[in-house]
């Protein structure tokens, strides 16, 4: 891809390193508004990058992250020089978020998008009991657990990985269905689903065993059902350096021990 230096908008998290990088890079390359930019350069960690993707979703803006945070699994290496050349040579990956439709015990319906995952977890000391259906067919009559989630490929290295879920290549047409501390069935470790699947979670005994749900950072308390599918319309575009691609990082991560 190609871009002019004056078509870059720099944004940063609130950390000192990210703010210093913002000041240095905008002085060197110029700064234009996000509305006028072809590319948004996000300076921070993975959390800030995901927030930038949410903010620019559906606008056609491309987001290029540089790590000024801690882990930065989704970020490119920070270097101040040669930025326009790096952006011009970058590989674009399309991110499709999940759509969550949650119904609460009060009868309220809440919808939200998630780039990483839609997660459910118990609200009290009581174990959650959840029925799982895929494409209107019950697949698990009752899962007793601390929680359960649906993760996108982009989110597969976040909460999903911490819960021992699988790592997915960014271009894989899959979603990861992963339990959190399953009690019964104890040996169930989740499933890989088509990204065309619609998953419904029904909360069993919701008054005795209340459950919260979250689409990334949008939290809904005391849900009775949650339906999740990949959004058919919303997209975001993430840019990676060719020598540090997402798929290479995914492969390397699976061989760590």
């Amino acid at each position: 891809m190609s871009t002019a230096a004056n078509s870059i908008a720099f944004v940063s998290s609130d950390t000192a390193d990210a703010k210093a990088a913002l000041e240095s890079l905008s002085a060197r390359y110029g700064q234009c508004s996000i509305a006028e930019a072809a590319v948004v350069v996000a300076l921070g960690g993975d959390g800030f990058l995901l927030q930038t993707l949410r903010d620019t979703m559906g606008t056609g803006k491309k987001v290029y992250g540089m790590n000024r945070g801690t882990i930065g699994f989704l970020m490119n290496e920070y270097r101040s020089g040669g930025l326009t050349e790096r952006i011009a040579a970058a590989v674009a990956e399309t991110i499709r978020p999940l759509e969550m439709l949650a119904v609460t015990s009060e009868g309220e319906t809440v919808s939200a998008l998630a780039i990483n995952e839609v997660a459910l977890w118990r609200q009290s000391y009581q174990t959650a009991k959840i029925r799982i259906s895929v494409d209107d067919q019950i697949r698990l009559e009752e899962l007793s657990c601390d929680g359960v989630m649906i993760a996108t490929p982009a989110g597969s290295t976040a909460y999903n990985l911490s819960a021992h879920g699988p790592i997915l290549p960014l271009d894989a047409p899959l979603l990861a269905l992963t339990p959190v501390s399953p009690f019964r069935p104890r040996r169930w470790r989740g499933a890989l689903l088509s990204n065309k699947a619609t998953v419904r979670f029904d909360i069993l005994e919701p008054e005795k065993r209340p459950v919260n749900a979250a689409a990334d950072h949008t939290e809904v308390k005391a849900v009775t059902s949650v339906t999740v599918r990949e959004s058919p319309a919303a997209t975001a575009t993430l840019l990676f350096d060719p020598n540090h691609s997402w798929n290479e990082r995914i492969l390397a991560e699976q061989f760590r021990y």
Side-chain angles (χ1 to χ4, degrees), residues 36-103:
E36 296 173 338
V39 175
V40 178
V41 174
L43 304 163
D46 284 347
F48 181 73
L49 177 66
L50 290 171
Q51 182 59 56
T52 305
L53 286 171
R54 281 190 287 270
D55 292 344
T56 58
M57 191 175 298
T59 65
K61 311 293 181 188
K62 297 177 173 62
V63 178
Y64 182 88
M66 284 204 290
N67 190 14
R68 291 285 83 188
T70 50
I71 298 174
F73 196 87
L74 294 170
M75 311 298 279
N76 298 294
E77 180 185 354
Y78 178 78
R79 296 197 306 272
S80 59
L83 180 58
T84 54
E85 292 79 9
R86 289 175 70 187
I87 291 174
V91 176
E93 296 280 1
T94 298
I95 305 291
R96 291 192 177 274
L98 299 174
E99 290 182 348
M100 177 186 77
L101 188 66
V103 178

Side-chain angles (χ1 to χ4, degrees), residues 32 41 91 144 153 166 194 220 224:
C32 72
V41 174
V91 176
S144 296
S194 164
V220 184
T224 56

Side-chain angles (χ1 to χ4, degrees), residues 22 35 90 98 120 162 174 180 256-257:
L22 172 65
L98 299 174
L120 290 75
S162 296
L174 298 170
V180 180
R256 290 185 178 179
Y257 57 90

Side-chain angles (χ1 to χ4, degrees), residues 207-238:
E207 293 184 2
K208 179 181 179 181
R209 304 171 185 275
V211 170
N212 294 345
D216 286 350
H217 300 301
T218 302
E219 184 176 350
V220 184
K221 293 186 179 297
V223 297
T224 56
S225 71
V226 175
T227 303
V228 183
R229 66 170 185 166
E230 184 180 82
S231 173
T235 61
T237 303
L238 192 55

Side-chain angles (χ1 to χ4, degrees), residues 4-256:
N6 61 2
S7 66
I8 300 174
F10 295 97
V11 294
S12 77
S13 66
D14 290 331
T15 67
D17 284 347
K19 287 182 175 179
L22 172 65
E23 183 177 352
S24 172
L25 293 172
S26 58
R28 181 168 183 170
Y29 296 100
Q31 171 76 299
C32 72
S33 69
I34 292 178
E36 296 173 338
V39 175
V40 178
V41 174
L43 304 163
D46 284 347
F48 181 73
L49 177 66
L50 290 171
Q51 182 59 56
T52 305
L53 286 171
R54 281 190 287 270
D55 292 344
T56 58
M57 191 175 298
T59 65
K61 311 293 181 188
K62 297 177 173 62
V63 178
Y64 182 88
M66 284 204 290
N67 190 14
R68 291 285 83 188
T70 50
I71 298 174
F73 196 87
L74 294 170
M75 311 298 279
N76 298 294
E77 180 185 354
Y78 178 78
R79 296 197 306 272
S80 59
L83 180 58
T84 54
E85 292 79 9
R86 289 175 70 187
I87 291 174
V91 176
E93 296 280 1
T94 298
I95 305 291
R96 291 192 177 274
L98 299 174
E99 290 182 348
M100 177 186 77
L101 188 66
V103 178
T104 72
S105 58
E106 302 295 324
E108 181 185 5
T109 299
V110 180
S111 60
L113 295 176
I115 293 174
N116 264 2
E117 75 279 317
V118 172
L120 290 75
W121 66 94
R122 62 186 175 94
Q123 185 177 320
S124 70
Y125 66 91
Q126 293 276 13
T127 300
K129 290 189 176 183
I130 302 170
R131 178 185 299 123
I132 302 176
S133 302
V134 179
D135 293 332
D136 296 322
Q137 182 174 350
I138 296 174
R139 291 295 181 179
L140 200 54
E141 188 66 49
E142 182 178 299
L143 172 65
S144 296
C145 59
D146 282 353
V148 64
M149 77 188 80
I150 290 280
T152 66
S156 67
T157 57
Y159 187 17
N160 172 73
L161 183 58
S162 296
H164 307 291
I167 301 175
L168 303 177
L170 201 58
D171 56 358
L174 298 170
L175 301 173
L177 173 61
T178 303
V180 180
S181 301
F183 179 64
R184 288 196 181 92
R186 191 180 297 274
R187 294 184 181 277
W188 188 65
R189 291 295 178 260
L192 289 175
L193 305 177
S194 164
N195 63 347
K196 304 302 181 186
T198 298
V199 182
R200 179 183 169 103
F201 303 100
D202 288 292
I203 311 309
L204 309 178
E205 304 177 40
E207 293 184 2
K208 179 181 179 181
R209 304 171 185 275
V211 170
N212 294 345
D216 286 350
H217 300 301
T218 302
E219 184 176 350
V220 184
K221 293 186 179 297
V223 297
T224 56
S225 71
V226 175
T227 303
V228 183
R229 66 170 185 166
E230 184 180 82
S231 173
T235 61
T237 303
L238 192 55
L239 298 176
F240 292 102
D241 289 335
N243 61 349
H244 196 50
S245 70
W246 171 267
N247 283 338
E248 171 57 32
R249 276 175 275 182
I250 288 292
L251 190 60
E253 185 71 23
Q254 292 179 87
F255 285 89
R256 290 185 178 179

